[in-house]
Amino acid sequence: MTSVAVPAVVRGLVPSPDDDTFVVLRELPVPEPQDGEAIVAVETFSINRGEVLMLSGPPPGWRPGLDLAGRVVQAAADGSGPPEGARVVGQAPLGSWATAVAVPTSALAELPDAVSFEQAAPLGAAALTSLRMLRYAGSVAGQRLLLTGAAGGLGHFFVELATLQGARVTAVVASQERGARLLELGAEALVTHVADAEGPFDVVLDSIGGTSLTTALTKVAPGGLVLWFGQAGGEPAVFDMYALGTPSLARIVPFSFFNSGGSYADDLATLVRLVAAGHLHPEISTVADWAETNTLLVELRDRRLRGNAVLRISG
């Protein structure tokens, strides 16, 4: 790379209640690749609601960002991964909200021309989590699944992937309007409150925590599986085992795609193949210039977006 600095989004000052400036743009040194890393010129990145929550803690200057799509401008020196010039989708350790980033080749997959950078950007955290939860759950053909917080990007990926395998999915959403697309993707039922879901369910998947998880636990069949993969509601999960009764015989597993095993590159390649074949459809609520990052972070925080938000790098 010939430039001496790379524009990147970093954590700004901790916002006051009247300040929604989560991040600011800074000029940073050109990334130095380590062994097994390629430099990717980022074309698009996707932001997830979980990243909004992550931004509440780090100090100013911290670099957010996992998902990215772009072109390899410097191939890995060890010969691994995609060649220079390849169109790729990737999962950065952090710092993907930048014009260029070093990415392990074990977390890069090539993109065919049929898959746009906008389609590819959300195939990171949201789609990887969905794919890996389904792998952990095992065969779900004919099984009943309950998913909370389903109106976001992950929920759309999960419903489509699960129904492709023959699962019967009930999705919990804030409103019927926000969940309408989930029915088109194969969801069997929509409810606006966990308590209204008609169980029992073989697998319960909760990303909200707090009372949502407590209620969801009462919906799982004895011997079933509960995957708890987030706390988007901002409240700690409470387990009242005395109130659960027989569902307490279920397995309760804290889940994260970071430590769920397997190769990011292989899983990303699987997701790319499904998109290219028309079997998986990233639900993108908005595509905007990355100058709008703060605006979209606020909309994600306030749950005004449905599906994924994608930012295009400019300048």
Side-chain angles (χ1 to χ4, degrees), residues 206-304:
D206 180 72
S207 64
I208 305 300
T211 57
S212 172
L213 177 59
T214 304
T215 305
L217 288 170
T218 67
K219 303 294 182 176
V220 64
L225 171 66
V226 177
L227 294 182
W228 173 41
F229 63 101
Q231 198 165 291
E235 297 180 5
V238 178
F239 296 91
D240 183 355
M241 302 308 293
Y242 291 102
L244 296 179
T246 54
S248 64
L249 298 175
R251 288 183 295 144
I252 303 173
V253 179
F255 187 90
S256 168
F257 85 93
F258 290 111
N259 56 17
S260 52
S263 162
Y264 286 158
D266 290 345
D267 286 351
L268 287 169
T270 295
L271 294 165
V272 168
R273 286 195 298 272
L274 290 171
V275 174
H279 300 310
L280 185 64
H281 303 84
E283 186 67 15
I284 299 172
S285 61
T286 186
V287 177
D289 186 272
W290 72 325
E292 301 300 317
T293 300
N294 273 307
T295 299
L296 292 180
L297 286 170
V298 171
E299 292 193 5
L300 277 173
R301 181 196 65 190
D302 297 342
R303 297 183 182 276
R304 296 200 295 267

Side-chain angles (χ1 to χ4, degrees), residues 1-301:
M1 299 181 66
T2 57
S3 61
V4 296
V6 170
V9 169
V10 303
R11 180 70 169 97
L13 296 175
V14 177
S16 70
D18 300 320
D19 184 2
D20 289 329
T21 305
F22 286 94
V23 293
V24 294
L25 193 65
R26 291 285 184 266
E27 294 278 330
L28 299 178
V30 172
E32 295 277 348
Q34 304 299 311
D35 290 342
E37 290 186 338
I39 303 297
V40 177
V42 180
E43 295 279 349
T44 60
F45 60 85
S46 179
I47 58 177
N48 304 283
R49 192 167 188 276
E51 289 169 312
V52 181
L53 302 178
M54 291 172 65
L55 281 164
S56 65
W62 181 77
R63 294 186 60 187
L66 302 171
D67 303 347
L68 65 96
R71 295 184 185 274
V72 174
V73 293
Q74 183 177 325
D78 63 1
S80 64
E84 183 175 326
R87 302 174 72 250
V88 293
V89 58
Q91 185 72 183
L94 275 177
S96 70
W97 303 357
T99 57
V101 64
V103 185
T105 56
S106 60
L108 288 173
E110 291 196 49
L111 290 175
D113 291 340
V115 179
S116 70
F117 289 129
E118 288 77 12
Q119 288 175 298
L123 296 181
L128 282 173
T129 301
S130 299
L131 182 68
R132 292 181 168 205
M133 286 195 301
L134 285 166
R135 181 183 297 141
Y136 188 92
S139 175
V140 295
Q143 292 199 327
R144 301 193 68 218
L145 278 56
L146 175 66
L147 176 67
T148 69
L154 184 149
H156 288 80
F157 281 124
F158 183 88
V159 166
E160 192 163 24
L161 288 169
T163 54
L164 281 171
Q165 297 183 36
R168 302 167 58 195
V169 181
T170 293
V172 184
V173 293
S175 68
Q176 293 289 324
E177 181 182 8
R178 282 177 61 81
R181 176 62 173 156
L182 296 170
L183 293 175
E184 297 175 3
L185 294 175
E188 182 177 70
L190 295 179
V191 294
T192 54
H193 299 283
V194 182
D196 295 334
E198 296 184 7
F201 295 93
D202 302 290
V203 183
V204 170
L205 309 103
D206 180 72
S207 64
I208 305 300
T211 57
S212 172
L213 177 59
T214 304
T215 305
L217 288 170
T218 67
K219 303 294 182 176
V220 64
L225 171 66
V226 177
L227 294 182
W228 173 41
F229 63 101
Q231 198 165 291
E235 297 180 5
V238 178
F239 296 91
D240 183 355
M241 302 308 293
Y242 291 102
L244 296 179
T246 54
S248 64
L249 298 175
R251 288 183 295 144
I252 303 173
V253 179
F255 187 90
S256 168
F257 85 93
F258 290 111
N259 56 17
S260 52
S263 162
Y264 286 158
D266 290 345
D267 286 351
L268 287 169
T270 295
L271 294 165
V272 168
R273 286 195 298 272
L274 290 171
V275 174
H279 300 310
L280 185 64
H281 303 84
E283 186 67 15
I284 299 172
S285 61
T286 186
V287 177
D289 186 272
W290 72 325
E292 301 300 317
T293 300
N294 273 307
T295 299
L296 292 180
L297 286 170
V298 171
E299 292 193 5
L300 277 173
R301 181 196 65 190

